[in-house]
PDB file of all heavy atoms in Angstrom:
ATOM      1  N   PHE M 110     -45.186  28.096   6.590  1.00 97.00           N
ATOM      2  CA  PHE M 110     -46.497  27.956   5.910  1.00 97.00           C
ATOM      3  C   PHE M 110     -46.232  27.608   4.354  1.00 97.00           C
ATOM      4  O   PHE M 110     -47.097  27.103   3.734  1.00 97.00           O
ATOM      5  CB  PHE M 110     -47.371  29.186   6.017  1.00 97.00           C
ATOM      6  CG  PHE M 110     -46.679  30.391   5.555  1.00 97.00           C
ATOM      7  CD1 PHE M 110     -46.550  30.758   4.119  1.00 97.00           C
ATOM      8  CD2 PHE M 110     -46.470  31.449   6.505  1.00 97.00           C
ATOM      9  CE1 PHE M 110     -45.972  31.973   3.861  1.00 97.00           C
ATOM     10  CE2 PHE M 110     -45.932  32.764   6.040  1.00 97.00           C
ATOM     11  CZ  PHE M 110     -45.735  33.015   4.843  1.00 97.00           C
ATOM     12  N   GLU M 113     -46.286  23.805   4.416  1.00 93.00           N
ATOM     13  CA  GLU M 113     -47.557  23.253   4.691  1.00 93.00           C
ATOM     14  C   GLU M 113     -48.329  23.264   3.509  1.00 93.00           C
ATOM     15  O   GLU M 113     -49.054  22.399   3.175  1.00 93.00           O
ATOM     16  CB  GLU M 113     -48.206  23.970   5.835  1.00 93.00           C
ATOM     17  CG  GLU M 113     -47.542  23.728   7.203  1.00 93.00           C
ATOM     18  CD  GLU M 113     -47.938  24.855   8.338  1.00 93.00           C
ATOM     19  OE1 GLU M 113     -48.707  25.704   7.893  1.00 93.00           O
ATOM     20  OE2 GLU M 113     -47.421  24.633   9.350  1.00 93.00           O
ATOM     21  N   LEU M 166     -49.693  37.007   4.476  1.00 98.00           N
ATOM     22  CA  LEU M 166     -50.711  36.198   5.089  1.00 98.00           C
ATOM     23  C   LEU M 166     -52.103  36.428   4.564  1.00 98.00           C
ATOM     24  O   LEU M 166     -53.031  35.669   4.602  1.00 98.00           O
ATOM     25  CB  LEU M 166     -50.751  36.424   6.602  1.00 98.00           C
ATOM     26  CG  LEU M 166     -49.499  35.913   7.405  1.00 98.00           C
ATOM     27  CD1 LEU M 166     -49.800  35.893   8.864  1.00 98.00           C
ATOM     28  CD2 LEU M 166     -49.260  34.440   6.856  1.00 98.00           C
ATOM     29  N   VAL M 167     -52.327  37.793   3.970  1.00 97.00           N
ATOM     30  CA  VAL M 167     -53.501  38.009   3.252  1.00 97.00           C
ATOM     31  C   VAL M 167     -53.660  36.921   2.108  1.00 97.00           C
ATOM     32  O   VAL M 167     -54.946  36.372   2.020  1.00 97.00           O
ATOM     33  CB  VAL M 167     -53.507  39.454   2.612  1.00 97.00           C
ATOM     34  CG1 VAL M 167     -54.652  39.644   1.713  1.00 97.00           C
ATOM     35  CG2 VAL M 167     -53.512  40.560   3.717  1.00 97.00           C
ATOM     36  N   HIS M 168     -52.647  36.583   1.530  1.00 97.00           N
ATOM     37  CA  HIS M 168     -52.766  35.639   0.444  1.00 97.00           C
ATOM     38  C   HIS M 168     -52.861  34.258   0.972  1.00 97.00           C
ATOM     39  O   HIS M 168     -53.647  33.408   0.526  1.00 97.00           O
ATOM     40  CB  HIS M 168     -51.501  35.852  -0.531  1.00 97.00           C
ATOM     41  CG  HIS M 168     -51.292  34.699  -1.602  1.00 97.00           C
ATOM     42  ND1 HIS M 168     -51.980  34.790  -2.647  1.00 97.00           N
ATOM     43  CD2 HIS M 168     -50.608  33.611  -1.522  1.00 97.00           C
ATOM     44  CE1 HIS M 168     -51.718  33.728  -3.513  1.00 97.00           C
ATOM     45  NE2 HIS M 168     -50.850  32.974  -2.763  1.00 97.00           N
ATOM     46  N   HIS M 169     -51.948  33.957   1.921  1.00 97.00           N
ATOM     47  CA  HIS M 169     -51.794  32.484   2.312  1.00 97.00           C
ATOM     48  C   HIS M 169     -52.941  32.064   3.251  1.00 97.00           C
ATOM     49  O   HIS M 169     -53.365  30.907   3.140  1.00 97.00           O
ATOM     50  CB  HIS M 169     -50.471  32.272   3.085  1.00 97.00           C
ATOM     51  CG  HIS M 169     -49.383  32.101   2.080  1.00 97.00           C
ATOM     52  ND1 HIS M 169     -49.028  30.854   1.599  1.00 97.00           N
ATOM     53  CD2 HIS M 169     -48.434  32.921   1.470  1.00 97.00           C
ATOM     54  CE1 HIS M 169     -47.960  30.968   0.904  1.00 97.00           C
ATOM     55  NE2 HIS M 169     -47.644  32.306   0.783  1.00 97.00           N
ATOM     56  N   ASN M 170     -53.486  32.934   4.003  1.00 97.00           N
ATOM     57  CA  ASN M 170     -54.633  32.457   4.883  1.00 97.00           C
ATOM     58  C   ASN M 170     -55.967  32.228   3.992  1.00 97.00           C
ATOM     59  O   ASN M 170     -56.678  31.417   4.338  1.00 97.00           O
ATOM     60  CB  ASN M 170     -54.984  33.487   5.942  1.00 97.00           C
ATOM     61  CG  ASN M 170     -53.913  33.462   7.074  1.00 97.00           C
ATOM     62  OD1 ASN M 170     -53.463  32.311   7.340  1.00 97.00           O
ATOM     63  ND2 ASN M 170     -53.747  34.537   7.781  1.00 97.00           N
ATOM     64  N   ALA M 171     -56.014  32.944   2.872  1.00 96.00           N
ATOM     65  CA  ALA M 171     -57.211  32.566   1.945  1.00 96.00           C
ATOM     66  C   ALA M 171     -57.023  31.209   1.380  1.00 96.00           C
ATOM     67  O   ALA M 171     -57.879  30.509   1.233  1.00 96.00           O
ATOM     68  CB  ALA M 171     -57.263  33.688   0.901  1.00 96.00           C
ATOM     69  N   LEU M 172     -55.753  30.909   0.856  1.00 95.00           N
ATOM     70  CA  LEU M 172     -55.432  29.592   0.346  1.00 95.00           C
ATOM     71  C   LEU M 172     -55.647  28.536   1.391  1.00 95.00           C
ATOM     72  O   LEU M 172     -56.213  27.484   1.001  1.00 95.00           O
ATOM     73  CB  LEU M 172     -53.924  29.587  -0.090  1.00 95.00           C
ATOM     74  CG  LEU M 172     -53.623  30.209  -1.444  1.00 95.00           C
ATOM     75  CD1 LEU M 172     -52.029  30.059  -1.723  1.00 95.00           C
ATOM     76  CD2 LEU M 172     -54.410  29.534  -2.588  1.00 95.00           C
ATOM     77  N   ARG M 173     -55.144  28.726   2.654  1.00 95.00           N
ATOM     78  CA  ARG M 173     -55.239  27.822   3.557  1.00 95.00           C
ATOM     79  C   ARG M 173     -56.686  27.444   3.931  1.00 95.00           C
ATOM     80  O   ARG M 173     -57.171  26.294   4.114  1.00 95.00           O
ATOM     81  CB  ARG M 173     -54.508  28.245   4.715  1.00 95.00           C
ATOM     82  CG  ARG M 173     -52.991  28.267   4.685  1.00 95.00           C
ATOM     83  CD  ARG M 173     -52.258  28.980   5.894  1.00 95.00           C
ATOM     84  NE  ARG M 173     -52.304  28.188   6.976  1.00 95.00           N
ATOM     85  CZ  ARG M 173     -51.341  27.291   7.330  1.00 95.00           C
ATOM     86  NH1 ARG M 173     -50.370  26.953   6.403  1.00 95.00           N
ATOM     87  NH2 ARG M 173     -51.462  26.516   8.367  1.00 95.00           N
ATOM     88  N   ALA M 174     -57.525  28.471   3.987  1.00 95.00           N
ATOM     89  CA  ALA M 174     -58.979  28.197   4.104  1.00 95.00           C
ATOM     90  C   ALA M 174     -59.589  27.340   3.175  1.00 95.00           C
ATOM     91  O   ALA M 174     -60.349  26.361   3.529  1.00 95.00           O
ATOM     92  CB  ALA M 174     -59.728  29.552   4.290  1.00 95.00           C
ATOM     93  N   GLY M 175     -59.242  27.527   1.941  1.00 92.00           N
ATOM     94  CA  GLY M 175     -59.703  26.640   0.838  1.00 92.00           C
ATOM     95  C   GLY M 175     -59.245  25.292   0.955  1.00 92.00           C
ATOM     96  O   GLY M 175     -59.821  24.249   0.477  1.00 92.00           O
ATOM     97  N   LEU M 176     -58.118  25.034   1.480  1.00 92.00           N
ATOM     98  CA  LEU M 176     -57.504  23.766   1.753  1.00 92.00           C
ATOM     99  C   LEU M 176     -57.915  23.160   3.024  1.00 92.00           C
ATOM    100  O   LEU M 176     -57.303  21.977   3.334  1.00 92.00           O
ATOM    101  CB  LEU M 176     -56.020  23.818   1.504  1.00 92.00           C
ATOM    102  CG  LEU M 176     -55.469  23.998   0.080  1.00 92.00           C
ATOM    103  CD1 LEU M 176     -53.994  24.426   0.143  1.00 92.00           C
ATOM    104  CD2 LEU M 176     -55.706  22.896  -0.754  1.00 92.00           C
ATOM    105  N   GLY M 177     -58.650  23.754   3.859  1.00 92.00           N
ATOM    106  CA  GLY M 177     -59.055  23.285   5.174  1.00 92.00           C
ATOM    107  C   GLY M 177     -57.945  23.259   6.149  1.00 92.00           C
ATOM    108  O   GLY M 177     -57.908  22.618   7.186  1.00 92.00           O
ATOM    109  N   LEU M 178     -56.992  24.232   6.059  1.00 94.00           N
ATOM    110  CA  LEU M 178     -55.854  24.425   7.045  1.00 94.00           C
ATOM    111  C   LEU M 178     -56.259  25.653   7.817  1.00 94.00           C
ATOM    112  O   LEU M 178     -56.786  26.603   7.392  1.00 94.00           O
ATOM    113  CB  LEU M 178     -54.541  24.747   6.282  1.00 94.00           C
ATOM    114  CG  LEU M 178     -54.034  23.584   5.276  1.00 94.00           C
ATOM    115  CD1 LEU M 178     -52.789  24.096   4.644  1.00 94.00           C
ATOM    116  CD2 LEU M 178     -53.773  22.364   6.212  1.00 94.00           C
ATOM    117  N   ALA M 179     -55.779  25.596   9.100  1.00 96.00           N
ATOM    118  CA  ALA M 179     -55.953  26.742  10.053  1.00 96.00           C
ATOM    119  C   ALA M 179     -55.075  27.917   9.540  1.00 96.00           C
ATOM    120  O   ALA M 179     -54.103  27.774   8.941  1.00 96.00           O
ATOM    121  CB  ALA M 179     -55.565  26.375  11.459  1.00 96.00           C
ATOM    122  N   ALA M 180     -55.675  29.211   9.931  1.00 97.00           N
ATOM    123  CA  ALA M 180     -54.830  30.352   9.572  1.00 97.00           C
ATOM    124  C   ALA M 180     -53.486  30.410  10.443  1.00 97.00           C
ATOM    125  O   ALA M 180     -53.373  29.682  11.386  1.00 97.00           O
ATOM    126  CB  ALA M 180     -55.703  31.680  10.075  1.00 97.00           C
ATOM    127  N   VAL M 181     -52.558  31.024   9.708  1.00 97.00           N
ATOM    128  CA  VAL M 181     -51.228  31.203  10.361  1.00 97.00           C
ATOM    129  C   VAL M 181     -51.243  32.073  11.517  1.00 97.00           C
ATOM    130  O   VAL M 181     -51.799  33.100  11.631  1.00 97.00           O
ATOM    131  CB  VAL M 181     -50.231  31.760   9.316  1.00 97.00           C
ATOM    132  CG1 VAL M 181     -48.899  31.938   9.939  1.00 97.00           C
ATOM    133  CG2 VAL M 181     -50.075  30.807   8.092  1.00 97.00           C
ATOM    134  N   ASP M 182     -50.582  31.585  12.591  1.00 97.00           N
ATOM    135  CA  ASP M 182     -50.441  32.394  13.801  1.00 97.00           C
ATOM    136  C   ASP M 182     -49.461  33.431  13.663  1.00 97.00           C
ATOM    137  O   ASP M 182     -48.218  33.263  13.686  1.00 97.00           O
ATOM    138  CB  ASP M 182     -50.043  31.429  14.991  1.00 97.00           C
ATOM    139  CG  ASP M 182     -50.023  32.204  16.270  1.00 97.00           C
ATOM    140  OD1 ASP M 182     -49.911  33.532  16.320  1.00 97.00           O
ATOM    141  OD2 ASP M 182     -50.128  31.584  17.393  1.00 97.00           O
ATOM    142  N   ARG M 183     -49.935  34.657  13.197  1.00 98.00           N
ATOM    143  CA  ARG M 183     -49.069  35.719  12.880  1.00 98.00           C
ATOM    144  C   ARG M 183     -48.140  36.103  13.922  1.00 98.00           C
ATOM    145  O   ARG M 183     -46.939  36.401  13.565  1.00 98.00           O
ATOM    146  CB  ARG M 183     -49.942  37.020  12.409  1.00 98.00           C
ATOM    147  CG  ARG M 183     -49.230  38.047  11.846  1.00 98.00           C
ATOM    148  CD  ARG M 183     -49.200  39.300  12.906  1.00 98.00           C
ATOM    149  NE  ARG M 183     -48.846  40.536  12.348  1.00 98.00           N
ATOM    150  CZ  ARG M 183     -48.368  41.525  12.963  1.00 98.00           C
ATOM    151  NH1 ARG M 183     -48.192  41.472  14.263  1.00 98.00           N
ATOM    152  NH2 ARG M 183     -48.015  42.648  12.430  1.00 98.00           N
ATOM    153  N   ASP M 184     -48.451  36.252  15.067  1.00 97.00           N
ATOM    154  CA  ASP M 184     -47.676  36.663  16.217  1.00 97.00           C
ATOM    155  C   ASP M 184     -46.498  35.707  16.448  1.00 97.00           C
ATOM    156  O   ASP M 184     -45.301  36.117  16.737  1.00 97.00           O
ATOM    157  CB  ASP M 184     -48.522  37.056  17.377  1.00 97.00           C
ATOM    158  CG  ASP M 184     -49.271  38.338  17.289  1.00 97.00           C
ATOM    159  OD1 ASP M 184     -49.089  39.021  16.467  1.00 97.00           O
ATOM    160  OD2 ASP M 184     -50.382  38.332  17.940  1.00 97.00           O
ATOM    161  N   ALA M 185     -46.904  34.345  16.377  1.00 98.00           N
ATOM    162  CA  ALA M 185     -45.842  33.364  16.681  1.00 98.00           C
ATOM    163  C   ALA M 185     -44.871  33.398  15.630  1.00 98.00           C
ATOM    164  O   ALA M 185     -43.632  33.190  15.799  1.00 98.00           O
ATOM    165  CB  ALA M 185     -46.531  32.002  16.807  1.00 98.00           C
ATOM    166  N   LEU M 186     -45.358  33.549  14.524  1.00 98.00           N
ATOM    167  CA  LEU M 186     -44.288  33.543  13.168  1.00 98.00           C
ATOM    168  C   LEU M 186     -43.342  34.734  13.401  1.00 98.00           C
ATOM    169  O   LEU M 186     -42.231  34.616  13.196  1.00 98.00           O
ATOM    170  CB  LEU M 186     -45.085  33.671  11.931  1.00 98.00           C
ATOM    171  CG  LEU M 186     -44.259  33.866  10.620  1.00 98.00           C
ATOM    172  CD1 LEU M 186     -43.407  32.630  10.449  1.00 98.00           C
ATOM    173  CD2 LEU M 186     -45.151  34.079   9.407  1.00 98.00           C
TER     174      LEU M 186
END
Side-chain angles (χ1 to χ4, degrees):
F110 57 72
E113 292 167 3
L166 293 189
V167 167
H168 174 80
H169 278 275
N170 280 334
L172 280 180
R173 293 170 71 88
L176 290 167
L178 299 175
V181 174
D182 187 332
R183 184 255 194 199
D184 292 337
L186 177 61

